[in-house]
Amino acid sequence: MITVKNKLFNITTKNTSYICHVRDGKYVENLYYGKKITFPEGADTEAMVEPLREKFNNVYGNTIAAAGEDKNLTLDNLNTEFSYPAVGDYRITSMLLKADNTFSSRFYFKDSFLYEGLYKDSDLTKMPHARYYEETGKPWTLELIFEDEAAGLELRLIYTAFEDCDVITRRTVLINKRDSSVAVRKLASMQLDLPGKDYSLLTFDGLWTRERHLNEKKLISGTYVTESTVGTSSNRHNPFIMIKKNDAGEHAGDCYAFNLIYSGNHKEEVEVSEYGKIRLIQGINDWCFDMELKSGETFYTPEAVMTYSDLGLNGASANCHDFVNNHIIPEQFRGKERPILINNWEATYFDFNRRKLTGLAKDAAKLGIELFVLDDGWFGDRSDDTSSLGDWDVNEKKIGGPLKDLITEIKKEGMDFGIWVEPEMISEKSRLYEAHPDWAVKAPGREVYTGRNQMVLDYTREDVRDYIVDKLSKLLSDNDVSYVKWDMNRHISDAYSSGDCDSGIFYHRYVLGYYDVMDRLTKSFPHVLFEGCSSGGGRFDLGVLCYMPQIWTSDDTDPNERMMIQGGTSYGYPLSTMGAHVSASPNHQTLRHTSIDTRFQVATMGVLGYELDATRLTSLEKKTVKKQIEFYKQYRKLFQFGRFIRVKKDPNLEIWETVSADRDLAIALLYQAQSEPNQSDDILFAKGLEENATYKVTGRQIQISIKEFGNLINMVSPVNIKEEGVAQAMVNSLYAMDGEKEEYLVTGSMLMHAGIKLNSRFVGTGLGEGTRTMGDYSSRLYVIERMI
Ligand code: DGJ
């Protein structure tokens, strides 16, 4: 709900309030953002917010006084809704414009405009945006209108309140009403000023194969910047960030989360001012951004997302998850269970033929896998990563005939078919590059720098986009394809177009071009499930999710790494968005050995897939995988759409949980990174259950490879088994030991507050009945079912 009372704007959601008002006739002061505050019925709210107003009873030292009646007012110490230079506010600013040879702006409040529904010009922005459905309620939108009379510019701040998930979205719109151009050097989507400075900043950073690791920094004086300059949202710094009060934790305390519905260069800045206040700004990165906004033109910033929760980091994450599942994901995939796939990449890399593919598909189908994905290497003349990107024609020689026939063969096995593409790229060695060298992004007369031997296609150009849409449309209409993995494996470096795009706006226009292509394709092929990918999770953002309901979280499938990658990602994004695959051991990225159960159990917290050579699994492994898939299918809805909670987070032992909406069912994952001898035994806690309900807790039966015991196995084996010998390999392929069986009856309150003291662990002195063998990188799943 949003109410406007004279000059007071009160935006409320289920549990939060965001209040601002016009001060001194010109400025909009932010009065409050946090847990919902209420006013008595019929109260004079304008008078009642007096305690929330910043007091300026005297002028501080050498501050600049704001123009207006209040001679003591200094913008440097006022919480405002946006900011610009030259008015004595020396903090970071949300905009930087140059008109009439001056950087000075004077945007003063003019009017406000309130209506039900989304921002009325959402479609004109040409960017994806949040949506709503009947059951999530119709949002309200508030526009605050400011004018810089001297410059002839209008600025609109747009707020939309999504009550159901405690989210408020923001964006900024600049309208050039002057006769000449204005130079836009920076225009953020949102600014939030908060009183107090005892906050920590949480960012999600990394690189290829280690995306979105959580980094927490206690904020002290100064400015903190998180940004991407690679052209996409990047694997380096995700646009999702959080700030929390220093005393807040996972389950309680004040937390704010922010994100941007945008897939390009972004920037998040947080300043702790010398007056002890926080200013947070988020939007398109102003790095290499220099736009000429011509007379009569309008510039729209992407939609920014913010939420608050007093229920700690999990509370803020829950809001973000609901927002993504209910307002971002394409309508046709909302709440829709996703198939279990097998991807041939790590099974074959580029080295495949018809026999290998169908062999893999046959074995995968027998395991219960539902979708076969043909990865890189099926087109042009591509047998490694040095050629053919752009030549999206099937290499029939390699795949042994028309794609249609391969698909028919795979479908006969009972599986759907999916295909990999990387349509934003062009190889120097390609027919496309021979025909259109100017379609590659490169700077004139400068030596070309490649990444993974490839260049980026210039998506600012309409002819390039048309070519790609045509090529992919043909592929998708000629063939029965139900899934597309859309990859993007290099960053942009020389941001230059041979077309009509100025370099100062190249990065943004590139992103708009990408959205245009996605928009056209997803509208023409609404049934196709697109999975985003960019060298793994290099473009994991809300813009992508508006078209592609799931994203390949990382090329790193090592479960120990995935705890950090999926764990970090979980702060801002729900389980339904995270592709999580079981791959081979030793892992191809880290060479780490882990059990097939741990690989699976970590991958259950996401959208499950397999990325290994199923034809090379031992018969025991095949049995194990079959059981895994049956288990995942049984609880798929919970694994993809349950309420995800980080129950316990310590460096060596974590508990994650997913709980059904009705609290009747939950599954907890307990993960141990390294075994420590003679430690106190584990206690299983859960959250989000019904206090008084009775639950049955059952440990998922796992199997422990006899290899894990090395030569200790000879203590029990009637014949001597040599480590790494033929006998060990043989026994190991046929037989594994059953892990402990644990089952308990508890009340919700017992499990949430006291926890279950689990069976003792194996610590080197005997393997008794029910002992839990928990070595390095080990895990357990516990099914929690409501009985009464
Ligand atoms: C990078 C992706 O993340 C991988 O999964 C795989 O598709 C390769 N590209 C193929 O080139």
Side-chain angles (χ1 to χ4, degrees), residues 213-227:
H213 283 210
L214 165 65
N215 285 304
E216 188 174 326
K217 323 162 223 268
K218 205 165 171 179
L219 295 176
I220 51 169
S221 225
T223 305
Y224 300 76
V225 177
T226 293
E227 65 179 343

Side-chain angles (χ1 to χ4, degrees), residues 345 350 375-376 382 420 452 485 487 489 533-536 552 555 611:
W345 180 240
F350 290 104
D375 210 280
D376 195 354
R382 189 149 162 105
W420 175 97
R452 208 194 188 205
K485 177 176 172 188
D487 206 345
N489 284 307
C533 174
S534 177
S535 302
W552 181 221
D555 272 352
E611 182 133 359

Side-chain angles (χ1 to χ4, degrees), residues 734-780:
L734 298 169
Y735 172 78
M737 286 168 51
D738 275 346
E740 78 284 355
K741 288 189 174 60
E742 283 189 89
E743 193 176 296
Y744 303 93
L745 217 53
V746 287
T747 61
S749 55
M750 277 166 78
L751 191 48
M752 291 193 288
H753 312 312
I756 296 172
K757 297 192 177 89
L758 296 168
N759 283 5
S760 313
R761 291 200 214 167
F762 175 78
V763 284
T765 52
L767 191 61
E769 168 96 11
T771 304
R772 295 162 67 238
T773 28
M774 297 276 295
D776 290 352
Y777 322 119
S778 56
S779 64
R780 295 290 187 274

Side-chain angles (χ1 to χ4, degrees), residues 231-233 263 341 343 371 373-376 378-379 382 389-390 392 418-426 452 454 456-459 464-476 481-490 510-525 528-541 543-545 547-555 577 581:
T232 63
S233 48
S263 308
L341 64 82
N343 180 304
L371 170 72
V373 180
L374 175 57
D375 210 280
D376 195 354
W378 57 267
F379 53 92
R382 189 149 162 105
L389 293 170
W392 299 109
I419 200 159
W420 175 97
V421 289
E422 194 180 359
E424 293 159 82
M425 294 295 147
I426 180 165
R452 208 194 188 205
Q454 63 202 50
V456 180
L457 262 184
D458 185 356
Y459 267 36
V464 172
R465 302 199 300 271
D466 288 347
Y467 167 83
I468 287 298
V469 171
D470 283 356
K471 277 298 206 195
L472 294 190
S473 299
K474 189 164 168 25
L475 176 73
L476 298 182
V481 174
S482 60
Y483 162 106
V484 169
K485 177 176 172 188
W486 183 292
D487 206 345
M488 202 269 193
N489 284 307
R490 74 153 283 185
Y510 180 88
V511 179
L512 295 184
Y514 164 65
Y515 290 149
D516 172 50
V517 171
M518 286 318 306
D519 201 52
R520 287 201 256 167
L521 286 172
T522 50
K523 274 187 181 135
S524 304
F525 303 95
V528 173
L529 169 65
F530 281 85
E531 174 155 354
C533 174
S534 177
S535 302
R539 191 161 56 180
F540 207 114
D541 61 62
V544 170
L545 288 170
Y547 302 101
M548 315 197 201
Q550 60 192 58
I551 299 178
W552 181 221
T553 317
S554 176
D555 272 352
T577 62
H581 297 180

Side-chain angles (χ1 to χ4, degrees), residues 258-291:
F258 307 88
N259 211 337
L260 200 60
I261 308 180
Y262 193 60
S263 308
N265 289 341
H266 58 90
K267 188 173 183 178
E268 292 70 38
E269 301 161 272
V270 185
E271 179 172 352
V272 181
S273 84
E274 293 314 307
Y275 290 108
K277 292 193 168 85
I278 297 278
R279 168 165 288 175
L280 192 146
I281 290 174
Q282 178 167 49
I284 295 180
N285 200 342
D286 54 343
W287 176 83
C288 287
F289 183 88
D290 183 6
M291 182 187 59

